[in-house]
Amino acid sequence: MYRSHTNGELRIDHLNQEVTLAGWVQKSRDKGFIIWVDLRDRYGITQLVFDAERTPQEVMEKARKLNREFVIQIKGKVIERESKNKAIPTGEIEVLVTDFYILNEAKTPPFTIENETDGGEDLRMKYRYLDIRRNPVKDKLIFRSKVAMEVRNYLSKEGFIEVETPYLIKSTPEGARDFVVPSRMNGGQFYALPQSPQTFKQLLMVGGLDKYFQIVKCFRDEDLRADRQPEFTQIDCEMAFVEQEDILNTFEGLTKYLIKNINGVEVENFPRMTYDEAMKTYGNDKPDIRFGMKFAELNEVTQHKDFKVFNEAELVVGIAVPSAGSYSRKEIDELIKWVQRPQVGAKGMVYVKCNEDGTFKSSVDKFYDQDDLATWAKLTGAKAGDLICVLSGETNATRAQLSALRMELGNRLGLRKADEFAPLWVVDFPLLEWDEETKRYHAMHHPFTSPKAEQLPLLATDPGAVKANAYDLVLNGNEIGGGSIRIHDKATQAMMFDYLGFTPEEAKAQFGFLMDAFQYGAPPHGGIAFGLDRLVAILGGQESIRDFIAFPKNNSGRDVMIDAPARIDEAQLKELHLATTFTAKES
Amino acid sequence: MYRSHTNGELRIDHLNQEVTLAGWVQKSRDKGFIIWVDLRDRYGITQLVFDAERTPQEVMEKARKLNREFVIQIKGKVIERESKNKAIPTGEIEVLVTDFYILNEAKTPPFTIENETDGGEDLRMKYRYLDIRRNPVKDKLIFRSKVAMEVRNYLSKEGFIEVETPYLIKSTPEGARDFVVPSRMNGGQFYALPQSPQTFKQLLMVGGLDKYFQIVKCFRDEDLRADRQPEFTQIDCEMAFVEQEDILNTFEGLTKYLIKNINGVEVENFPRMTYDEAMKTYGNDKPDIRFGMKFAELNEVTQHKDFKVFNEAELVVGIAVPSAGSYSRKEIDELIKWVQRPQVGAKGMVYVKCNEDGTFKSSVDKFYDQDDLATWAKLTGAKAGDLICVLSGETNATRAQLSALRMELGNRLGLRKADEFAPLWVVDFPLLEWDEETKRYHAMHHPFTSPKAEQLPLLATDPGAVKANAYDLVLNGNEIGGGSIRIHDKATQAMMFDYLGFTPEEAKAQFGFLMDAFQYGAPPHGGIAFGLDRLVAILGGQESIRDFIAFPKNNSGRDVMIDAPARIDEAQLKELHLATTFTAKES
């Protein structure tokens, strides 16, 4: 045993005890006759003191050579500090060192191992093992571990069984792109890494396991957007003999439990909102309801004058921005530029300042009179001192633009509080969504989602209008979970594949095992999957998932620390019955 | 909600309650005026009764059409059974059905869904979702889930943090063959799936996480032996600032906790044995010490006569088989044939019957007298009525052969009791092992294992004699865990790579990140990994791991249920910058 105590453990009641500590040199202050060293480990920092009067001379000399991040083991006695440090739990004591050993030396690290580091993202990722020594990263990994454990505690208590499903499965062209794994033993054939254990968890329900969960890695070979990882972790769940209501209640229970046990916050029952309502009210299927600025559709009260921009728009929609009526012309111009950025894409923005005296000043005063503007204010809920922002155009695009503006203003106005939790169920998602590129319908959730039974006839006449038994759990403007009640009979599943453009042969080749399974007594079932990386980040009050992942990949899917992916031997390729056709000049 | 109660829940105190149940039809007995149906779910079986006097006529008629594995939902009243079934918890009651719905029909399953099924292995694997409905499989999956949860409970309580390490890593030629994953975004390059998170967990120690664990899938592309899977699960653990003793104590604690909480058995402190002693005493580095039959080396007491076979042998070694002295000539001949099977490979076997009257009868009576045989009996510990079996030849081969015989006899004699737990630490493994094929040393554990410090000088003169700080945890003759104290300084690690035949360039290309990490303050550290599949099987009293895995692969690495691996699209291959070179006539 290299230590009798950790560096977070010693208190005033350990006074005069002989202790052995080990850890990293955080910093060292050499005052000549006295040297202080902060010794750090996972558990905290303990101050060591080397004192010319009480510490042997040769130990003193050795101590002068200690550099940052040296790993040492010390023996010494716990003494009371003269100037106490109330900021840390060990701040009342220090350890007078009698002897120490250098367990390992350290080169000067490429960035400072401090809460606020001087290392940029690239450097931190290359030396991730040093980055992890920093409290902000270490604490996030510990936090993640705690959340995962609480998820397991809750679900186990509720009778869920964690079942490991296979990682080497079969590639299916539906959905995102698979990562594949060539098989050496089955030449010319490939496994795929799972995008989710979807079909396996459904088969477990057919197998009678009743309540399944798994915290599991999933893989998607997509062009990476910021904060997306090629491998990510899901809390994957499925239940048999349930209706949508049962799933919502069960996982509302889990989410409440987490927010209470992790954050110490009690949340009331979760509100529910249909997809249509969310889109209409927030322009978004994952609205942040911690703050207002609800959308008001203004077509009826704007399209009666000569303002062509509004008259030709499919949708005219506005929000009232609280206390922004005092924005200067410059600030408003900046907002207009912000919505015109290519990432948002609005053509322009109409605004109305609601003056404190009850009058209005708008950018469209020549088309609309005070009565018009008062009506807009009423509909958007704008009060004196607010600013009304109005966008117009094609419905979906305009909603997305105004939603982006609403979120941006929510951030700017400090309305998105990290310690406030506003969960929301969004329900009744459309079954299908039209894809302009391929000119066909795709499954909005996935092809195993059941349509609302009463809407089945609509499939033939107006497929886009059919709603599914699908739901998302939204927390603070982020989708943290999503799921559905599944199809559990072969005929409906075959019909869905047909609608999605599968030939019967393709459906059989890819999902024959599932449709077979449905013929041998499949129970009604449904489930949900949470994105653990995202969930943990939100519970931790952060927007970025990256530091909640021990070894994340960069936006090119590379692990810059181990330098992967990498070339492999020709012999290895040959064994796999493969040749690479890559011909770039360098790689 | 499809049910008010599960099928394992109703008792006599639910009498007269109106209940709703759902589940599968296990079987149906139609006596004309009365029909009994056993309704099954994960939780148990409830007997339903349809009774011409009390059940509506049309419900009665519908009930006659129920076949095995139909999924139904019933409404009814709990009544007392006339003839109670003490064998099941719900055996005192039955439910008089008033109405029911067929939730899903079922084709006749390809094998019976009973504890003892008529389905062979292949059929069971193809319809694994039906196989899982059977109690023996379902119970094993639930058991596995429970073991994994208890592992997490114990390690969390001990301050271990579960950290997820990446699955898309880098291929290294050391050790077993990697599964690789072509990268689309990094043309011509590949990820590898981890054979274990070894280097990552070491980096977490360098990162100061101190106590890490993870229950994690690992992958090895090996030619599969029986009961080996290409993907398997490890309980992977690592600790910093520890010596071997700390690791042994910590994981002895875990194992005791599991045996107590899972099996209800208290185990004393685990005995320890060096590798050398295990090989000498049991011919095996994972001895089953639930029974005796220890090896006695007989060279000194056999090589003084004219028996050439023994005189020329490097090792003459025997065991005393309890109460086998009465074996007939035919039984002994069968044993000799058994050791001569190619899987065992002995040339022959010498035996000595220890008669009840104190005399001996051996197959080598013409070379050895009664005094000789009495000496053998004394050394092997044979008593009157026992049989001494003696093998001879090259040391390693002979030990392996006698070990195989010992285990076989342990099975035959019923000495390997499923409810008895005999853990054992095997310590002081050799650092290196000689590979005849490549004519060089390989790391016996892995290249990161630290040699015993005091034996470092031996590396230059007698590498094979150097022992490592490596240990295995053996339970009932199975290695359930293995680990080591790691090298934590760059110089020693570089030296190890050199001994293992890596050029400095190769070492840098493959493990440069680890050696870099060792320069920035790496603490002393070590760890262990348990094979979860095996551990669960042994705690469950079974030898085969297959039914403790929800969806195992067969010996060709195929999932016969989903039919994977499979061919993928040319377009998919092209995107991955790959061409297949496989040219078999069919595949």
Side-chain angles (χ1 to χ4, degrees):
Chain A
M1 193 61 92
Y2 280 85
R3 58 191 173 196
S4 61
H5 297 78
T6 71
N7 291 315
E9 202 173 345
L10 296 175
R11 299 286 184 278
I12 196 77
D13 35 314
H14 292 93
L15 271 194
N16 296 318
Q17 284 193 25
E18 299 287 341
V19 297
T20 308
L21 301 178
W24 287 264
V25 172
Q26 174 76 23
K27 65 179 177 196
S28 163
R29 279 162 301 152
D30 186 347
K31 302 286 182 191
F33 62 97
I34 195 160
I35 307 165
W36 282 288
V37 169
D38 279 355
L39 190 65
R40 186 196 66 231
D41 64 12
R42 168 182 144 193
Y43 309 94
I45 283 182
T46 299
Q47 181 166 292
L48 310 178
V49 59
F50 301 77
D51 169 341
E53 284 183 15
R54 294 177 286 178
T55 302
Q57 178 65 20
E58 76 277 12
V59 175
M60 205 67 194
E61 287 314 310
K62 217 169 46 160
R64 289 192 208 287
K65 291 173 194 140
L66 285 177
N67 282 328
R68 282 198 287 140
E69 302 308 318
F70 272 42
V71 187
I72 61 172
Q73 181 189 36
I74 68 104
K75 289 179 193 304
K77 195 161 82 169
V78 181
I79 60 174
E80 190 166 2
R81 278 208 214 184
E82 283 188 23
S83 66
K84 299 200 167 47
N85 179 352
K86 299 284 181 199
I88 59 170
T90 61
E92 291 195 274
I93 57 93
E94 60 191 357
V95 174
L96 179 68
V97 178
T98 51
D99 201 2
F100 78 94
Y101 313 92
I102 294 175
L103 297 172
N104 217 340
E105 299 197 346
K107 296 205 294 191
T108 303
F111 51 85
T112 52
I113 315 290
E114 305 273 359
N115 290 1
E116 298 292 325
T117 182
D118 56 356
E121 177 86 0
D122 291 351
L123 207 57
R124 288 176 47 214
M125 289 302 147
K126 182 167 163 60
Y127 297 93
R128 184 64 163 177
Y129 45 87
L130 297 178
D131 199 27
I132 290 173
R133 285 189 201 155
R134 297 171 51 241
N135 288 329
V137 180
K138 182 198 73 181
D139 292 345
K140 287 187 180 73
L141 296 179
I142 294 176
F143 184 80
R144 180 190 182 108
S145 176
K146 188 179 166 196
V147 173
M149 193 66 202
E150 290 290 7
V151 169
R152 287 190 163 98
N153 283 337
Y154 185 85
L155 292 176
S156 297
K157 198 170 51 69
E158 292 288 316
F160 284 79
I161 299 164
E162 184 158 18
V163 179
E164 296 174 55
T165 52
Y167 278 80
L168 297 173
I169 64 166
K170 189 157 124 177
S171 189
T172 56
E174 178 67 18
R177 213 183 271 108
D178 287 322
F179 281 105
V180 298
V181 181
S183 169
R184 179 180 56 85
M185 289 208 280
N186 302 272
Q189 300 185 25
F190 294 76
Y191 303 98
L193 299 178
Q195 295 184 31
S196 91
Q198 182 63 34
T199 50
F200 288 96
K201 69 175 173 175
Q202 292 193 240
L203 291 174
L204 289 174
M205 294 305 106
V206 176
L209 273 194
D210 207 88
K211 289 176 170 182
Y212 145 93
F213 85 103
Q214 187 182 192
I215 299 186
V216 61
K217 274 280 176 78
C218 301
F219 303 86
R220 275 180 212 169
D221 183 13
E222 289 178 292
D223 297 326
L224 299 174
R225 284 181 271 153
D227 228 30
R228 274 274 183 119
Q229 290 282 320
E231 51 177 305
F232 55 97
T233 306
Q234 258 181 218
I235 308 167
D236 193 50
C237 309
E238 197 81 2
M239 302 170 80
F241 299 112
V242 288
E243 290 159 327
Q244 173 168 313
E245 191 61 26
D246 304 314
I247 307 244
L248 300 195
N249 289 334
T250 302
F251 293 96
E252 188 163 317
L254 168 66
T255 310
K256 276 185 196 173
Y257 174 87
L258 291 178
I259 296 174
K260 177 153 185 231
N261 281 274
I262 301 290
N263 300 90
V265 175
E266 300 259 8
V267 182
E268 294 293 301
N269 286 350
F270 296 8
R272 295 179 190 184
M273 189 181 288
T274 65
Y275 171 87
D276 287 348
E277 192 186 343
M279 294 306 290
K280 199 178 163 79
T281 316
Y282 296 99
N284 197 309
D285 61 1
K286 43 177 200 281
D288 188 340
I289 58 169
R290 281 177 296 184
F291 63 101
M293 291 198 238
K294 289 186 189 175
F295 287 18
E297 299 198 345
L298 302 174
N299 292 46
E300 282 187 25
V301 298
T302 55
Q303 296 182 327
H304 60 300
K305 295 287 173 75
D306 290 336
F307 187 46
K308 221 172 126 186
V309 173
F310 281 0
N311 292 347
E312 290 173 355
E314 189 182 356
L315 177 71
V316 182
V317 59
I319 53 173
V321 186
S323 309
S326 57
Y327 275 18
S328 67
R329 180 63 209 234
K330 198 175 149 200
E331 285 172 304
I332 290 175
D333 282 347
E334 190 273 328
L335 264 194
I336 294 172
K337 282 216 182 84
W338 192 91
V339 298
Q340 289 175 326
R341 296 158 65 225
Q343 301 94 312
V344 181
K347 291 219 180 68
M349 184 182 91
V350 166
Y351 67 86
V352 183
K353 287 181 166 202
C354 307
N355 297 324
E356 296 292 347
D357 63 5
T359 63
F360 301 96
K361 174 80 194 86
S362 85
S363 57
V364 285
D365 279 349
K366 67 172 156 174
F367 299 103
Y368 299 100
D369 58 28
Q370 290 286 312
D371 282 349
D372 287 323
L373 301 179
T375 307
W376 302 7
K378 193 173 162 216
L379 291 171
T380 57
K383 294 181 194 60
D386 291 356
L387 178 75
I388 304 172
C389 297
V390 184
L391 299 183
S392 62
E394 187 272 319
T395 301
N396 291 342
T398 306
R399 283 177 171 171
Q401 291 153 12
L402 192 61
S403 171
L405 177 63
R406 176 179 174 272
M407 292 295 272
E408 173 69 15
L409 288 166
N411 282 329
R412 290 189 191 184
L413 298 171
L415 302 173
R416 307 189 64 203
K417 301 199 181 77
D419 58 352
E420 191 177 324
F421 294 96
L424 170 74
W425 286 109
V426 177
V427 298
D428 297 353
F429 272 77
L431 180 68
L432 302 167
E433 66 185 338
W434 181 254
D435 183 47
E436 266 307 319
E437 201 176 316
T438 55
K439 297 285 177 204
R440 65 179 184 85
Y441 281 106
H442 284 277
M444 190 150 186
H445 189 54
H446 54 49
F448 315 107
T449 297
S450 76
K452 298 258 176 210
E454 67 279 11
Q455 296 189 325
L456 265 178
L458 261 183
L459 259 182
T461 55
D462 187 5
V466 176
K467 295 293 192 282
N469 290 311
Y471 33 83
D472 274 359
L473 182 53
V474 174
L475 184 58
N476 295 359
N478 295 277
E479 179 207 324
I480 58 164
S484 63
I485 298 297
R486 325 300 183 186
I487 296 166
H488 67 280
D489 68 284
K490 184 175 175 174
T492 310
Q493 189 63 69
M495 187 182 70
M496 269 305 292
F497 283 133
D498 185 35
Y499 272 107
L500 296 171
F502 288 66
T503 66
E505 294 68 33
E506 284 167 349
K508 186 171 159 46
Q510 290 165 35
F511 298 108
F513 61 95
L514 186 66
M515 292 200 287
D516 281 352
F518 286 171
Q519 294 185 293
Y520 289 104
H525 62 285
I528 193 167
F530 291 79
L532 180 66
D533 307 289
R534 178 72 51 203
L535 174 66
V536 166
I538 293 168
L539 293 178
Q542 305 282 320
E543 292 275 313
S544 167
I545 63 173
R546 191 161 295 190
D547 278 344
F548 291 91
I549 298 171
F551 300 102
K553 294 195 170 51
N554 73 8
N555 283 347
S556 316
R558 295 200 69 84
D559 182 326
V560 296
M561 180 185 71
I562 63 170
D563 195 23
R567 289 183 168 276
I568 59 174
D569 284 355
E570 276 305 315
Q572 220 171 336
L573 273 178
K574 203 175 156 193
E575 265 195 330
L576 296 169
H577 322 280
L578 285 181
T580 171
T581 58
F582 188 71
T583 51
K585 274 156 284 175
E586 57 184 66
S587 69
Chain B
M1 190 62 90
Y2 280 87
R3 58 191 174 196
S4 61
H5 297 79
T6 71
N7 290 314
E9 202 173 346
L10 297 175
R11 299 286 184 279
I12 196 78
D13 35 313
H14 293 92
L15 271 195
N16 296 317
Q17 283 193 25
E18 299 287 341
V19 296
T20 307
L21 301 178
W24 287 265
V25 172
Q26 174 76 24
K27 65 179 176 195
S28 163
R29 282 163 298 152
D30 186 348
K31 301 287 182 191
F33 62 98
I34 195 160
I35 304 165
W36 281 290
V37 169
D38 279 357
L39 191 65
R40 187 196 66 232
D41 63 13
R42 170 183 144 192
Y43 309 93
I45 282 182
T46 298
Q47 181 166 292
L48 310 179
V49 57
F50 302 77
D51 169 340
E53 284 183 14
R54 294 177 287 178
T55 302
Q57 178 64 20
E58 76 277 11
V59 175
M60 204 70 193
E61 287 314 310
K62 215 168 48 160
R64 289 191 209 286
K65 289 174 195 141
L66 286 177
N67 282 327
R68 283 198 287 139
E69 303 307 318
F70 271 44
V71 187
I72 61 173
Q73 182 189 35
I74 67 105
K75 288 179 194 301
K77 194 162 81 170
V78 181
I79 60 173
E80 189 165 2
R81 278 208 215 185
E82 284 189 22
S83 65
K84 299 198 167 49
N85 179 352
K86 299 283 181 199
I88 59 170
T90 61
E92 291 195 273
I93 58 93
E94 59 192 359
V95 174
L96 178 69
V97 178
T98 51
D99 201 3
F100 78 94
Y101 312 92
I102 294 175
L103 297 172
N104 217 339
E105 299 196 349
K107 296 205 294 190
T108 304
F111 51 84
T112 53
I113 314 291
E114 307 272 359
N115 290 1
E116 297 294 325
T117 183
D118 57 355
E121 178 86 0
D122 290 351
L123 206 57
R124 287 175 48 213
M125 289 302 148
K126 182 167 164 59
Y127 297 93
R128 184 63 163 178
Y129 46 86
L130 297 179
D131 200 25
I132 290 173
R133 284 188 201 157
R134 297 171 51 242
N135 287 327
V137 180
K138 181 198 74 181
D139 291 345
K140 287 188 180 73
L141 296 179
I142 294 176
F143 184 81
R144 180 190 182 108
S145 176
K146 187 179 167 195
V147 173
M149 194 67 203
E150 290 291 6
V151 169
R152 288 191 163 97
N153 283 337
Y154 184 86
L155 293 176
S156 298
K157 197 171 52 70
E158 292 289 315
F160 284 79
I161 299 164
E162 184 159 18
V163 179
E164 296 174 55
T165 52
Y167 278 80
L168 296 173
I169 64 167
K170 189 157 124 175
S171 189
T172 58
E174 178 66 19
R177 212 182 273 109
D178 286 323
F179 281 105
V180 298
V181 181
S183 168
R184 179 180 56 85
M185 288 207 282
N186 302 272
Q189 300 185 25
F190 294 76
Y191 302 99
L193 299 178
Q195 294 184 32
S196 90
Q198 183 62 36
T199 49
F200 289 96
K201 69 176 174 176
Q202 292 193 239
L203 292 173
L204 290 174
M205 294 306 104
V206 176
L209 273 194
D210 206 87
K211 289 177 171 182
Y212 144 93
F213 85 103
Q214 185 182 193
I215 299 186
V216 61
K217 274 281 176 80
C218 301
F219 304 85
R220 274 178 212 171
D221 183 13
E222 288 178 293
D223 297 325
L224 298 174
R225 284 181 271 153
D227 228 30
R228 274 274 182 116
Q229 291 282 320
E231 51 178 304
F232 54 97
T233 307
Q234 257 180 218
I235 307 167
D236 193 50
C237 309
E238 197 81 1
M239 301 170 79
F241 299 112
V242 289
E243 290 158 330
Q244 175 170 313
E245 191 62 25
D246 304 313
I247 306 246
L248 300 195
N249 290 334
T250 302
F251 293 97
E252 188 165 316
L254 169 65
T255 310
K256 275 185 196 172
Y257 174 87
L258 291 178
I259 296 175
K260 176 152 184 232
N261 281 273
I262 301 289
N263 300 91
V265 175
E266 300 259 8
V267 182
E268 293 293 301
N269 286 350
F270 296 7
R272 296 180 190 183
M273 190 181 290
T274 65
Y275 171 87
D276 287 347
E277 192 187 344
M279 293 306 289
K280 199 178 163 79
T281 316
Y282 297 98
N284 197 309
D285 62 2
K286 44 176 198 282
D288 187 341
I289 58 168
R290 280 177 296 183
F291 63 102
M293 291 197 239
K294 289 186 188 175
F295 287 18
E297 300 198 345
L298 302 174
N299 293 44
E300 283 187 26
V301 298
T302 56
Q303 295 181 328
H304 60 300
K305 294 288 174 74
D306 290 336
F307 187 46
K308 222 172 127 185
V309 173
F310 281 0
N311 292 346
E312 290 173 354
E314 189 183 355
L315 178 70
V316 182
V317 59
I319 54 173
V321 187
S323 309
S326 57
Y327 274 18
S328 67
R329 180 63 210 235
K330 198 176 147 199
E331 284 172 305
I332 291 175
D333 282 348
E334 189 274 329
L335 264 193
I336 294 173
K337 282 215 182 84
W338 193 91
V339 297
Q340 289 175 326
R341 294 158 65 224
Q343 300 94 312
V344 182
K347 290 219 181 66
M349 184 183 91
V350 165
Y351 67 86
V352 183
K353 287 181 165 199
C354 307
N355 298 323
E356 295 292 348
D357 63 4
T359 63
F360 301 95
K361 174 79 196 88
S362 84
S363 57
V364 285
D365 279 349
K366 68 173 159 174
F367 299 104
Y368 300 98
D369 58 29
Q370 291 286 312
D371 281 351
D372 287 323
L373 301 179
T375 308
W376 301 7
K378 193 172 161 217
L379 291 171
T380 57
K383 294 181 193 62
D386 291 356
L387 177 76
I388 304 172
C389 297
V390 184
L391 300 183
S392 63
E394 187 271 319
T395 300
N396 290 343
T398 305
R399 283 177 171 170
Q401 292 152 12
L402 191 61
S403 171
L405 178 63
R406 177 179 173 273
M407 291 296 271
E408 173 69 14
L409 287 166
N411 282 329
R412 290 189 192 184
L413 298 171
L415 303 173
R416 306 189 64 203
K417 300 198 180 78
D419 58 351
E420 192 178 322
F421 294 96
L424 170 74
W425 286 109
V426 177
V427 299
D428 296 355
F429 272 77
L431 180 68
L432 303 167
E433 67 184 339
W434 181 255
D435 183 46
E436 265 307 318
E437 201 177 316
T438 55
K439 298 283 175 204
R440 65 179 185 85
Y441 282 105
H442 284 277
M444 189 151 186
H445 190 53
H446 55 49
F448 315 107
T449 297
S450 78
K452 298 257 174 210
E454 67 278 13
Q455 296 190 324
L456 266 177
L458 262 183
L459 259 181
T461 55
D462 186 6
V466 176
K467 295 293 192 281
N469 291 312
Y471 34 82
D472 275 359
L473 182 53
V474 174
L475 184 57
N476 296 358
N478 294 278
E479 180 208 324
I480 58 165
S484 63
I485 298 297
R486 327 299 184 185
I487 296 165
H488 67 280
D489 69 285
K490 184 175 176 173
T492 310
Q493 189 63 68
M495 187 183 68
M496 269 304 293
F497 284 132
D498 185 33
Y499 272 108
L500 296 172
F502 288 65
T503 66
E505 293 70 32
E506 285 167 348
K508 187 171 157 49
Q510 290 165 35
F511 298 109
F513 60 96
L514 186 66
M515 292 199 289
D516 281 352
F518 286 171
Q519 294 184 295
Y520 289 103
H525 62 287
I528 193 168
F530 291 79
L532 181 66
D533 307 289
R534 176 73 51 205
L535 174 65
V536 167
I538 293 168
L539 294 177
Q542 305 282 321
E543 292 277 311
S544 167
I545 62 173
R546 191 159 296 189
D547 278 345
F548 290 91
I549 299 171
F551 299 101
K553 293 193 171 52
N554 73 9
N555 283 347
S556 315
R558 295 198 69 82
D559 182 326
V560 296
M561 181 184 71
I562 64 171
D563 195 24
R567 289 182 168 276
I568 59 174
D569 283 355
E570 275 305 315
Q572 221 171 336
L573 273 177
K574 203 175 157 193
E575 265 195 333
L576 296 169
H577 322 282
L578 285 181
T580 171
T581 60
F582 188 70
T583 52
K585 273 155 284 174
E586 57 184 68
S587 69

